[in-house]
């Protein structure tokens, strides 16, 4: 592990070719309780983790009003406000009814409320990147996109992102606003969003993979993942994250944690150098699922 881990080794991405962020960010979902509900068990540890972000040059943080709910946004303001050059991205459009329970709500008046309340909790006059957490199937997508586009024109939102969408849904949203980022589940072993990633590459849209550390049972001792990890003296999760960073220039992984040591470990991944042979072997293993 480098003496001073830094996200700067991951390179930069320019959101809509305007705002630069380091490609390795931080997901603030885990600074909450079990089931992403209520405060974290170790509140002081979570605060220390968030304060450590500046030391590691993290300048892209992803959160959501549904994390806690509200706990993650509140802790970010408490520990990091004013944010300086750190871009705080948040999300809205899901309601919470208990630990592990998530329900979409895309009525235009509710989405507007999500934005206004996130602004208040984060202590900002504009959300730099606001993402629709899910498209609500019970509300016409056009109505959801229209109110988001209106809020962008009003200056409440600078950039707009989508989460868990397909290519056609991105195209539909683009009629109402420029799509700056897409956040879908994606990792070495879960490639269901490959067509979406390819679309993002073609249109220079930031792709934010959630669960980027996915390694699971496929990190057996004879696997390519385990062999590369052993050679580079890294963990399988670090290698999975390094693969994601090498996979695409539009990739913006946001691994999350509530522990300082784990945060340092994740950020140290930015300095790992996979060879082309490493990447190819990992890619084959990920696609084969063995």
């Amino acid at each position: 592990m480098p003496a001073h881990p830094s996200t700067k080794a991951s390179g930069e991405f320019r959101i809509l070719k305007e705002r630069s962020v380091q490609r390795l960010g931080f997901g603030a979902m885990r600074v909450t309780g079990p089931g992403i509900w209520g405060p974290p068990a170790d509140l002081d540890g979570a605060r220390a983790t968030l304060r450590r972000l500046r030391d590691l040059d993290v300048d892209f943080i992803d959160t959501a009003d549904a994390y806690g709910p509200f706990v993650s946004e509140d802790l970010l303001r408490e520990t990091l406000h004013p944010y300086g050059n750190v871009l705080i991205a948040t999300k809205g459009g899901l309601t919470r009814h208990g630990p592990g329970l998530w329900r979409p709500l895309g009525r235009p008046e509710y989405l507007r409320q999500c934005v206004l309340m996130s602004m208040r909790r984060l202590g900002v006059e504009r959300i730099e990147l606001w993402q629709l957490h899910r498209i609500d199937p019970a509300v016409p997508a056009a109505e959801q996109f229209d109110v988001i586009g209106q809020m962008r024109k009003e200056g409440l939102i600078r950039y707009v992102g989508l989460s868990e969408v397909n290519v056609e849904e991105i195209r539909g949203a683009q009629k109402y606003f420029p799509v700056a980022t897409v956040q879908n589940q994606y990792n070495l072993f879960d490639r269901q969003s490959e067509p979406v990633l390819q679309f993002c590459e073609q249109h220079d849209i930031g792709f934010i993979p959630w669960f980027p550390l996915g390694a699971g049972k496929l990190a057996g001792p004879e696997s390519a993942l385990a062999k590369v990890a052993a050679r580079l003296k890294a963990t399988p999760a670090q290698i999975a994250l390094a693969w994601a960073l090498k996979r695409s220039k539009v990739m913006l992984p946001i691994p999350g944690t509530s522990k300082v040591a784990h945060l340092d470990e994740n950020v140290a991944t930015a300095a790992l150098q996979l060879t082309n042979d490493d990447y190819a072997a990992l890619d084959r293993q990920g696609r084969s699922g063995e």
Side-chain angles (χ1 to χ4, degrees), residues 13-89:
F13 177 77
R14 293 178 67 84
I15 298 174
L16 290 187
K17 299 183 179 180
E18 296 175 353
R19 171 70 187 268
S20 292
V21 294
Q22 307 298 334
R23 289 208 299 128
L24 183 56
F26 176 77
M29 183 175 74
R30 294 295 173 186
V31 294
T32 59
I36 321 302
W37 185 263
D42 181 2
L43 186 55
D44 288 339
R47 289 177 176 137
T49 300
L50 293 177
R51 293 191 181 103
R52 177 67 169 156
L53 294 172
R54 291 194 193 276
D55 298 335
L56 305 177
D57 304 309
V58 175
D59 65 359
F60 181 57
I61 299 173
D62 176 84
T63 185
D65 61 1
Y67 296 164
F70 317 139
V71 170
S72 179
E73 289 184 332
D74 288 340
L75 280 175
L76 286 170
R77 181 175 185 176
E78 176 191 334
T79 56
L80 295 178
H81 190 276
Y83 306 110
N85 71 331
V86 178
L87 188 155
I88 306 292

Side-chain angles (χ1 to χ4, degrees), residues 155-207:
L156 302 178
I157 300 167
R158 182 177 182 184
Y159 301 119
V160 180
L162 302 172
S163 181
E164 283 305 305
V165 290
N166 58 39
V167 170
E168 288 309 306
E169 288 167 335
I170 299 171
R171 291 187 187 277
Q174 286 176 321
K175 299 174 183 177
Y176 297 85
F177 48 79
V179 176
T181 61
V182 169
Q183 185 170 157
N184 281 15
Q185 181 168 324
Y186 185 90
N187 56 53
L188 178 57
F189 303 108
D190 185 343
R191 310 289 188 86
Q192 294 184 67
S193 287
E194 197 75 42
V196 175
L197 173 57
Q198 293 173 4
F199 182 86
C200 289
E201 290 175 322
Q202 293 165 5
H203 298 272
D204 205 27
I205 295 170
F207 186 90

